[in-house]
């Protein structure tokens, strides 16, 4: 697409420069030749513009198909998927994140996700997020996060163990100091319970 538009701009620039600086006095009887050249020039511009337009349309269709496929994948993947902007705001949360935290996905926006972190695990999370956001390094951490249960009779919060994989979105066109971050969240409470049971059994 870029090459097509550059070619079109080059043709127009050459034509303008030629018309301004390089065209001598037109001899008698050369009107037909000039008209033919003008028609050829207009036809060339039309072909390049039409080709660029067709390429743009094809890429738009391809991009929409890719976006639809990725959206379908994110919405149906088992792990929770959350995408953060370079400023740390939540841009998107998958449907599986609702099941993971027992709440609607819009409740995770703002400070909703950070408030679910266990107080003792917040430094670990924010340090790992900064590594991905500013340093462009992928991190995997295990933290405790609150899961809501509207059927619970007690007001005591319930925490689950969550494995969070933080990956920066490395965009070559991004000139800013920060990156967008994609987080994959997986419930590992069962594994943690088994590890604790094994540790207690060995101690016993």
């Amino acid at each position: 697409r870029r090459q097509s538009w550059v070619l079109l701009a080059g043709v127009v620039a050459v034509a303008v420069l030629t018309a301004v600086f390089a065209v001598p006095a037109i001899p008698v009887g050369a009107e037909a030749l000039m008209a033919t050249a003008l028609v050829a020039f207009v036809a060339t511009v039309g072909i390049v513009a039409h080709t660029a337009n067709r390429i743009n349309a094809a890429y738009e269709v391809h991009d929409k198909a890719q976006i639809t496929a990725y959206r379908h994948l994110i919405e149906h993947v088992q792990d929770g998927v959350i995408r953060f902007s370079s400023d740390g705001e939540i841009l998107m949360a998958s449907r599986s994140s609702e099941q993971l935290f027992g709440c609607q996905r819009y409740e995770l926006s703002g400070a909703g996700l950070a408030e679910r972190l266990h107080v003792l695990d917040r430094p670990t999370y924010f340090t790992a997020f900064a590594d991905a956001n500013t340093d462009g390094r992928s991190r995997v951490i295990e933290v405790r996060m609150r899961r809501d249960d509207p059927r619970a009779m007690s007001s005591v919060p319930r925490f689950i163990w969550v494995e969070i994989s933080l990956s920066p979105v490395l965009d070559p066109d991004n000139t800013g100091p920060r990156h967008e971050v994609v987080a994959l969240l997986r419930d590992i409470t069962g594994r943690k319970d088994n590890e604790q049971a094994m540790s207690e059994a060995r101690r016993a």
Side-chain angles (χ1 to χ4, degrees):
R1 286 183 292 181
R2 185 179 304 168
Q3 291 176 351
S4 298
W5 288 113
V6 169
L7 178 60
L8 177 58
V11 171
V12 173
V14 170
V16 171
L17 293 175
T18 302
V20 174
F21 299 105
V23 175
I26 299 177
V28 179
E31 291 83 359
L33 180 59
M34 292 296 297
T36 303
L38 179 60
V39 171
F41 169 73
V42 173
T44 302
V45 172
I47 291 173
V48 173
H50 176 70
T51 303
N53 183 63
R54 291 293 299 273
I55 293 175
N56 285 336
Y59 267 97
E60 288 178 2
V61 172
H62 178 265
D63 292 343
K64 289 181 180 178
Q66 290 288 89
I67 292 174
T68 301
Y70 285 131
R71 182 179 292 115
H72 177 82
L73 175 63
I74 290 173
E75 288 296 333
H76 293 83
V77 72
Q78 185 175 3
D79 295 342
V81 181
I82 297 179
R83 179 185 175 190
F84 298 89
S85 69
S86 57
D87 296 328
E89 297 293 331
I90 293 181
L91 299 176
M92 184 275 302
S94 66
R95 184 183 306 169
S96 52
S97 61
E98 297 180 343
Q99 302 175 358
L100 181 64
F101 296 114
C103 67
Q104 299 297 319
R105 65 183 85 184
Y106 68 84
E107 298 180 52
L108 301 175
S109 60
L113 182 65
E115 291 177 350
R116 294 181 176 275
L117 286 162
H118 194 282
V119 176
L120 297 179
D121 294 333
R122 291 181 183 181
T124 301
Y125 170 81
F126 288 120
T127 301
F129 186 88
D131 289 341
N133 182 237
T134 58
D135 297 338
R137 293 187 296 161
S138 298
R139 291 289 307 275
V140 179
I141 58 175
E142 297 176 355
V143 295
R144 289 159 289 185
M145 304 189 74
R146 189 183 79 247
R147 171 184 284 173
D148 296 338
D149 187 359
R151 298 170 298 179
M153 302 300 294
S154 173
S155 59
V156 178
R158 179 196 174 195
F159 286 89
I160 61 173
W161 280 97
V162 179
E163 180 186 82
I164 305 179
S165 300
L166 298 165
S167 301
V169 180
L170 302 178
D171 186 357
D173 297 331
N174 180 22
T175 58
R178 299 178 181 273
H179 308 280
E180 292 187 0
V181 178
V182 174
L184 299 180
L185 302 96
R186 175 176 300 177
D187 183 1
I188 59 169
T189 306
R191 191 187 78 191
K192 283 290 186 179
D193 290 342
N194 291 336
E195 291 176 356
Q196 183 178 0
M198 291 294 294
S199 177
E200 293 177 354
R202 284 195 297 267
R203 183 166 57 251

